[in-house]
Amino acid sequence: MPKKTDRIIVIDIESTCWQDKPPIGQESEIIEIGICTVDVASGKRLEKESILVKPEKSQVSEFCTQLTTLTQAQVERGISLKEACTILKNKYQSQQRIWASFGDDDRRQFEKQCQSKKINYPFGSRHINVKTLFAVIHALPNEIGMAEALEKLNFPLEGTHHRGGDDAWNIALILSELLLKSRGSYGGQCPP
């Protein structure tokens, strides 16, 4: 299959979490997949989607609800991770396109869960870590969080922080800004 570079799929996941260690028999699982596609040529954010995923080995804790606003009742109406991965592959062509996340945790969580549930990994090998890219391009001594990166760019955080769809939308804005600014330094052309 040919690799496509026309769009980048920005992903942000929310997972079950606890203030301390998970209760015995429970493990952190994806409960929301936020998706925002970015048109590479224009830098425009094209669409935003949130897919709720029903956890199989954990419950949404009160701490998790306070952080994400997601409740157990909401995620109970979600789909399986396998169905969510099928949507990523079919609707977003995730195996042919570049995908991005803010940091490496989301990539690792996807890999871990797909492996443990014996689900085909929905992405190709081309991943952009926007958190690292932002720090390198801005010559920061350390990586910073998404909200702080938006602040440095003078953009407001849109929506609810720690909701997958809203965070993917905000990460896509950061990525778009990095794409467009990098082209501006060379007048849209690659340096000699």
Side-chain angles (χ1 to χ4, degrees):
M1 274 184 250
K3 303 293 183 190
K4 298 182 178 196
T5 58
D6 58 335
R7 293 182 183 172
I8 297 171
I9 307 163
V10 177
I11 299 290
D12 183 80
I13 61 169
E14 302 304 328
S15 299
T16 48
C17 55
W18 300 268
Q19 195 155 9
D20 295 310
K21 292 181 179 177
I24 293 171
Q26 294 192 42
E27 61 185 57
S28 182
E29 294 180 277
I30 295 170
I31 53 174
E32 182 183 25
I33 303 170
I35 306 158
C36 180
T37 52
V38 175
D39 179 76
V40 171
S42 69
K44 289 190 182 340
R45 296 176 287 180
L46 301 176
E47 61 192 310
K48 173 173 110 173
E49 183 173 0
S50 170
I51 301 171
L52 293 182
V53 178
K54 184 177 179 177
E56 297 173 3
K57 298 178 180 177
S58 61
Q59 298 284 311
V60 176
S61 68
E62 187 178 323
F63 173 79
C64 188
T65 298
Q66 288 172 359
L67 185 67
T68 66
T69 74
L70 289 168
T71 65
Q72 183 66 32
Q74 286 174 299
V75 299
E76 283 293 328
R77 295 189 298 269
I79 61 176
S80 71
L81 182 61
K82 185 175 184 175
E83 290 171 291
C85 289
T86 299
I87 290 170
L88 287 167
K89 288 188 268 190
N90 294 341
K91 181 176 180 183
Y92 294 97
Q93 298 177 316
S94 60
Q95 292 182 314
Q96 290 89 16
R97 288 201 162 99
I98 301 164
W99 74 285
S101 61
F102 204 82
D104 223 19
D105 291 343
D106 292 1
R107 182 185 61 77
R108 285 195 301 266
Q109 179 76 347
F110 250 108
E111 287 174 349
K112 180 182 163 191
Q113 269 202 258
C114 286
Q115 187 175 27
S116 77
K117 294 178 189 288
K118 297 182 180 12
I119 297 169
N120 289 333
Y121 187 64
F123 302 105
S125 59
R126 298 172 309 148
H127 174 258
I128 297 171
N129 180 332
V130 179
K131 187 177 195 177
T132 301
L133 184 63
F134 185 88
V136 169
I137 287 175
H138 288 274
L140 301 176
N142 300 300
E143 294 177 344
I144 59 174
M146 182 197 75
E148 194 177 345
L150 287 167
E151 197 175 296
K152 281 196 172 294
L153 295 172
N154 294 315
F155 292 131
L157 192 149
E158 297 178 52
T160 303
H161 195 14
H162 300 299
R163 279 305 304 267
D166 291 339
D167 282 356
W169 183 254
N170 285 301
I171 296 163
L173 180 61
I174 295 167
L175 179 60
S176 294
E177 189 70 9
L178 295 175
L179 289 172
L180 295 175
K181 278 190 176 177
S182 71
R183 289 186 205 140
S185 352
Y186 303 114
Q189 301 295 314
C190 290

